[in-house]
């Protein structure tokens, strides 16, 4: 590909007068990507998350040992070495393999929480914003009440009642994390609610249900995605905290927080048992934070450089 | 009340009185509904989710007579709304039932353990504010410089690190290897019989009584968990300070101050920071509330006998009354700080005085 074709393609992408919807969309995406990729930290964050996805997808290939069955006879609490990169735990299991498989559980938690909490917030926020009046007041009061609660403690109490387990931990985190999404969705709804295109759709006889679903919700998605990405780190930390307290994933699942809890007993002599999974949590949360910051700066120029 | 009304009638500052009254009224509505919401959620957790709430409270080994009595005492034969009314009434009088584990009323336990948490969170917030505010100011003033980058990385790691893991590593380094700090507890066993706490804040009590050896020992126990919580609040406080300061430094009064020939130091610390102070009070209050909550994990790692450890110990023993009582206690303080900082913001911000 010669320099000229690249030049002309860029000109096509950045054109002021796009001739098709596709060209306009690609052009906008290109501008956002340029802003995003200019931010080196954001790229690092993206690489970390891509690495997480790859590790989770190919865990079977990447892990040399089983994550749940260890060699109790020969390999208990071995320090990091050539055979076991991050050492072994008290049941003779390879910690590196457990961390690789643990990536799946981390993704599982994060994705499930996002799938449950974001739509709840989106629904509550758009309905409150579009309906206005009493509906708005009541829905937002409920949102604010939930917003004022201490999240971790409440999630703790929920899991205590529901019983320990990774599904219940997901549910508890989702219940406590939807309110910010509702606020964002409501704010976005209020900005478009009185615009001409909504009036046009109303005149064409669209039902409120259809307007909210087809014409308002899509506009809230991008700010919601940014916020969800920024929240991912918090979700991972809460899930790990629940796992650490024995309320999240149950043994022998290789969940990172639970792995730290089991390494706690040996922390003074065999520190590596707890050190490696904690480092994994730190790196992945950092990745989500960097990616979220980058996305916010690229897609939402208003918030600018904070 | 009548004084305010007279003032309002006289017309002088009547707009202001009305504004304050209406914002107080709004505040009351918000406070009441939020607390009712908290109680509704804990009611839901304690009474609706468990298949048999009596079993959840007593465990499965209680004799039938006790189960029947408790069922009646808890009012489980009444309709939901009446149960909730009784629940709220009991909670308002500080009755959260009895802890199975300690056999004390939950409220007595909470009174005993809460000062330890307050002491830890207060020291953590002080550390966070004392380091975080100057760091944020410097990062804003020298934007893009090395110190800005460092502040950013420090903040990002603070947002991403699992605190309990950092605590464990800290124990390995500072307790096991370097022996700078004492083992996880609140005070050495040696002092158990020679030291009588007055307020429950050991550092303060030791200082009042002039027992400086106890003070030193308490300090060696609290310093690492407090520093960790301080790091969490530092991450938040420095980031917010930087953003407030950037906002202020872009204002025109800064240009005016420069034109007047004020020294850079007075412009930054005297003018810009002073104007950023109001939102920063809110931020520090919020970070204090977050530390109260964050103490649950930290206390577990450091065997710190506060409300967090109380909750997690009760969790492990399926002691639901204690868990929910602790949740309400932390939740109440958390909500109170949230609401008060919001109110403080309205009262302190000069711009809200005009309307």
């Amino acid at each position: 590909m010669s320099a000229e074709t690249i030049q002309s393609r860029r000109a096509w992408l950045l054109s002021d007068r796009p001739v098709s919807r596709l060209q306009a969309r690609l052009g906008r995406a290109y501008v956002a990507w340029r802003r995003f990729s200019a931010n080196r930290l954001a790229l690092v964050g993206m690489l970390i998350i891509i690495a997480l996805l790859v590790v989770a997808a190919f865990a079977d290939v990447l892990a040399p040992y089983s994550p749940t069955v260890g060699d109790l006879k020969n390999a208990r609490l071995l320090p990091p070495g050539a055979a076991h990169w991050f050492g072994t735990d008290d049941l003779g299991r390879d910690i590196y393999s457990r961390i690789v498989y643990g990536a799946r559980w981390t993704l599982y938690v994060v994705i499930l929480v996002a799938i449950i909490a974001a739509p709840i917030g989106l629904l509550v926020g758009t309905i409150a914003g579009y309906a206005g009046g009493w509906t708005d007041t009541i829905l937002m009061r409920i949102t604010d009440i939930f917003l004022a609660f201490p999240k971790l403690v409440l999630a703790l109490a929920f899991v205590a009642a529901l019983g320990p387990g990774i599904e219940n931990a997901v549910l508890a985190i989702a219940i406590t994390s939807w309110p910010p999404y509702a606020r964002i969705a409501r704010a976005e709804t209020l900005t478009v609610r009185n615009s001409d295109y909504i009036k046009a759709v109303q005149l064409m006889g669209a039902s409120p249900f259809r307007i909210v679903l087809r014409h308002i919700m899509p506009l809230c998605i991008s700010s919601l995605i940014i916020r969800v990405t920024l929240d991912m780190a918090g979700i991972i930390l809460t899930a790990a905290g629940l796992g650490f307290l024995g309320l999240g994933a149950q043994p022998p699942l290789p969940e990172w927080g639970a792995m730290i809890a089991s390494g706690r007993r040996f922390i003074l002599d065999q520190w590596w048992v707890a050190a490696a999974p904690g480092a994994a949590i730190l790196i992945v949360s950092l990745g989500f934070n960097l990616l979220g910051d980058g996305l916010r700066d690229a897609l939402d120029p208003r918030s600018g450089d904070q | 009340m009548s004084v305010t009304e007279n003032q309002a009638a006289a017309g002088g500052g009547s707009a202001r009185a009305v504004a304050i009254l209406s914002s107080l009224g709004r505040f009351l509505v918000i406070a009441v509904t939020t607390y009712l919401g908290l109680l509704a959620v804990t009611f839901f957790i304690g009474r609706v989710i468990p298949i048999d709430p009596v079993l959840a409270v007593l465990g499965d080994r209680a004799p039938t007579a006790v189960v029947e009595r408790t069922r009646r005492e808890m009012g489980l034969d009444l309709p939901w709304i009446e149960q909730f009314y009784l629940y709220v009434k009991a909670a308002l009088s500080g009755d959260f039932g009895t802890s199975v584990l300690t056999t004390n009323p939950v409220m007595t336990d909470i009174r005993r353990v809460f000062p330890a948490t307050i002491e830890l969170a207060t020291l953590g917030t002080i550390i966070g504010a004392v380091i975080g505010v100057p760091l944020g100011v410097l990062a804003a003033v020298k934007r893009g410089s090395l110190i800005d980058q460092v502040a950013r990385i420090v903040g990002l790691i603070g947002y991403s690190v699992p605190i309990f893991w950092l605590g464990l590593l800290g124990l390995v380094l500072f307790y096991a290897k370097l022996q700078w700090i004492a083992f996880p507890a609140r005070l050495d066993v040696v002092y158990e019989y020679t030291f009588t706490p007055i307020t429950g804040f050991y550092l303060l009590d030791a200082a009042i009584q002039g027992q400086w050896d106890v003070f030193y020992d308490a300090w060696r126990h609290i310093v690492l968990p407090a520093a960790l919580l301080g790091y969490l609040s530092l991450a938040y406080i420095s980031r917010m300070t930087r953003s407030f300061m950037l906002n202020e430094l872009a204002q025109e009064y800064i240009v005016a101050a420069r034109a007047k020939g004020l020294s850079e130091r007075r412009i930054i610390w005297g003018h810009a920071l002073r104007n950023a102070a109001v939102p920063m009070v809110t931020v520090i209050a919020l970070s204090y509330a977050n530390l109260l909550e964050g103490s649950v994990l930290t206390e577990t790692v450091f065997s710190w006998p506060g409300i967090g450890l109380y909750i997690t110990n009760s969790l492990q023993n399926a002691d639901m009354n204690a868990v929910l009582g602790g949740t309400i206690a932390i939740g109440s303080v958390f909500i109170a700080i949230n609401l008060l900082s919001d109110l403080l913001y309205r009262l302190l911000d000069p711009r809200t005085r005009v309307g």
Side-chain angles (χ1 to χ4, degrees):
Chain A
M1 207 187 297
S2 72
E4 267 166 51
T5 40
I6 294 176
Q7 201 64 41
S8 73
R9 279 188 189 176
R10 184 170 299 154
W12 182 78
L13 280 170
L14 295 175
S15 162
D16 287 338
R17 295 192 189 77
V19 289
S20 68
R21 214 177 242 208
L22 180 74
Q23 187 183 358
R25 274 194 189 146
L26 286 177
R28 283 233 317 269
Y30 176 67
V31 170
W33 166 249
R34 282 242 301 229
R35 232 181 298 153
F36 179 80
S37 57
N39 182 346
R40 257 182 299 162
L41 284 177
L43 279 181
V44 171
M46 198 177 73
L47 284 181
I48 292 175
I49 303 312
I50 291 175
L52 176 75
L53 292 172
V54 170
V55 168
F58 298 106
D60 301 324
V61 186
L62 289 168
Y65 300 92
S66 155
T68 47
V69 183
D71 181 0
L72 267 173
K73 196 170 160 203
N74 304 314
R76 274 193 82 234
L77 295 167
L78 291 179
H84 301 281
W85 291 355
F86 297 156
T88 58
D89 67 5
D90 55 320
L91 296 175
R93 297 173 295 198
D94 180 48
I95 294 174
Y96 166 71
S97 304
R98 281 175 70 72
I99 286 179
V100 166
Y101 276 98
R104 287 190 174 170
W105 290 106
T106 301
L107 270 183
Y108 174 85
V109 167
V110 163
I111 292 173
L112 267 188
V113 170
I115 288 180
I116 300 172
I120 297 178
L122 189 61
L123 203 66
V124 171
T126 46
I127 290 175
Y130 187 72
W134 275 106
T135 321
D136 184 26
T137 311
I138 291 170
L139 285 179
M140 279 303 112
R141 201 71 278 284
I142 294 174
T143 307
D144 284 349
I145 288 172
F146 267 88
L147 212 54
F149 290 160
K151 278 166 77 175
L152 177 68
V153 177
L154 210 61
L156 222 67
F158 263 112
V159 187
L162 292 168
I166 200 159
E167 283 83 11
N168 289 342
V170 164
L171 207 59
I173 298 172
I175 289 172
T176 53
S177 56
W178 62 269
Y181 308 140
R183 296 216 109 185
I184 290 168
R186 176 173 176 269
E188 294 280 326
T189 308
L190 287 182
T191 59
V192 297
R193 189 179 140 189
N194 294 323
S195 55
D196 290 339
Y197 84 91
I198 294 289
K199 295 238 167 64
V201 196
Q202 275 168 348
L203 284 175
M204 282 160 75
S207 66
F209 177 73
R210 189 185 166 86
I211 294 174
V212 167
L213 199 69
R214 298 289 299 271
H215 300 277
I216 290 179
M217 277 191 184
L219 288 167
C220 306
I221 297 286
S222 84
S223 25
L224 215 59
I225 287 177
I226 296 168
R227 182 60 203 241
V228 169
T229 315
L230 280 170
D231 282 356
M232 290 284 183
I235 294 169
I236 291 175
L237 290 181
T238 312
L242 290 176
F244 178 71
L245 295 174
L247 294 171
Q250 298 298 304
L253 278 194
E255 195 269 333
W256 294 342
M259 285 171 71
I260 298 177
S262 69
R264 192 183 165 194
R265 278 176 293 154
F266 319 104
I267 189 72
L268 294 184
D269 299 311
Q270 286 91 17
W271 50 268
W272 58 85
V273 181
I281 297 173
L282 170 61
I283 291 169
V284 171
S285 320
L286 199 60
F288 275 115
N289 271 329
L290 292 173
L291 181 69
D293 274 357
L295 280 180
R296 186 189 54 201
D297 295 347
L299 295 178
D300 188 11
R302 270 168 304 170
S303 66
D305 87 326
Q306 290 271 304
Chain B
M1 198 50 117
S2 68
V3 177
T4 340
E5 275 163 11
N6 283 344
Q7 264 181 358
S14 71
R16 172 145 195 235
V18 170
I20 286 183
L21 276 184
S22 85
S23 81
L24 274 181
R26 229 178 73 84
F27 172 79
L28 275 181
V29 170
I30 291 177
V32 169
T33 49
T34 311
Y35 275 107
L36 273 182
L38 177 68
L39 289 175
V41 170
T42 50
F43 177 77
F44 181 77
I45 293 174
R47 296 283 172 84
V48 183
I49 296 179
I51 298 165
D52 188 350
V54 178
L55 217 65
V57 169
L58 291 177
D60 49 7
R61 266 169 293 187
T64 328
V66 178
V67 170
E68 277 311 310
R69 205 185 64 218
T70 315
R71 195 181 296 280
R72 250 178 289 120
E73 276 173 5
M74 286 171 77
L76 290 172
D77 42 351
L78 302 170
W80 285 120
I81 193 78
E82 214 172 321
Q83 281 191 44
F84 183 60
Y85 169 73
L86 290 176
Y87 181 81
V88 171
K89 218 171 97 179
L92 285 182
S93 60
D95 174 16
F96 299 128
T98 309
S99 158
V100 180
L101 191 60
T102 62
T103 66
N104 295 329
V106 171
M107 197 58 191
T108 316
D109 282 343
I110 290 175
R111 277 220 193 87
R112 183 169 47 81
V113 296
F114 220 93
T117 301
I118 299 282
E119 186 178 36
L120 191 60
T122 308
L123 196 59
T125 307
I126 291 173
I127 294 174
V130 165
I131 304 176
V133 171
L135 189 66
V137 170
L138 283 179
V141 171
K142 301 207 160 94
R143 193 168 154 199
S145 70
L146 184 68
I147 191 155
D148 190 14
Q149 303 286 349
V150 169
R152 196 186 154 131
I153 302 287
V154 165
L156 271 170
I157 292 179
Y159 275 100
S160 315
V161 75
I163 178 89
F164 49 95
W165 174 73
L166 207 58
L168 288 173
L169 294 191
L171 276 179
V172 173
L173 183 64
F174 295 113
Y175 168 59
K177 297 270 186 303
L178 297 172
Q179 303 199 325
W180 287 357
I181 59 154
F183 67 93
R186 211 178 164 196
L187 207 59
D188 221 279
V189 212
V190 182
Y191 298 108
E192 200 172 310
Y193 297 104
T194 58
F195 175 66
T196 31
I198 311 165
T199 57
F201 307 115
Y202 283 9
L203 285 176
L204 198 67
D205 290 343
I208 292 172
Q209 298 174 17
Q211 292 182 308
W212 295 106
D213 53 334
V214 179
F215 184 86
Y216 177 67
D217 188 63
W219 170 254
R220 276 177 25 114
H221 281 95
I222 201 177
V223 64
L224 186 58
L228 282 175
L229 288 180
Y231 179 44
L232 285 195
S233 83
L234 181 159
Y236 177 57
I237 291 176
S238 69
R239 190 172 177 157
M240 296 310 281
T241 307
R242 177 180 183 271
S243 125
F244 293 143
M245 282 299 282
L246 281 181
N247 203 9
E248 292 301 327
L249 289 173
Q251 305 285 326
E252 283 182 353
Y253 73 86
I254 296 289
V255 181
R258 285 218 174 93
K260 230 165 53 172
L262 286 186
S263 71
E264 201 62 16
R265 219 177 74 191
R266 271 196 71 185
I267 293 175
I268 293 161
W269 300 98
H271 289 236
L273 186 62
R274 222 182 129 193
N275 279 301
V278 175
M280 255 153 59
V281 168
T282 320
V283 163
I284 292 174
L286 288 183
S287 95
Y288 188 73
N290 282 328
L291 287 199
L292 278 183
E293 187 193 27
S295 63
V296 174
L297 289 166
T298 317
E299 284 176 5
T300 311
V301 171
F302 289 95
S303 305
W304 189 261
I307 185 108
L309 191 66
Y310 179 68
I311 292 181
T312 50
N313 274 344
S314 311
L315 269 175
Q316 252 119 49
N317 293 285
D319 188 353
M320 218 41 204
N321 276 344
V323 172
L324 290 177
T327 307
I328 294 175
I330 291 191
S332 302
V333 179
F334 191 90
I335 292 171
I337 294 175
N338 259 313
L339 291 171
L340 285 177
S341 67
D342 193 44
L343 187 71
L344 207 63
Y345 182 85
R346 277 167 215 284
L347 293 179
L348 284 181
D349 192 348
R351 273 165 300 187
T352 55
R353 279 186 214 146
V354 184

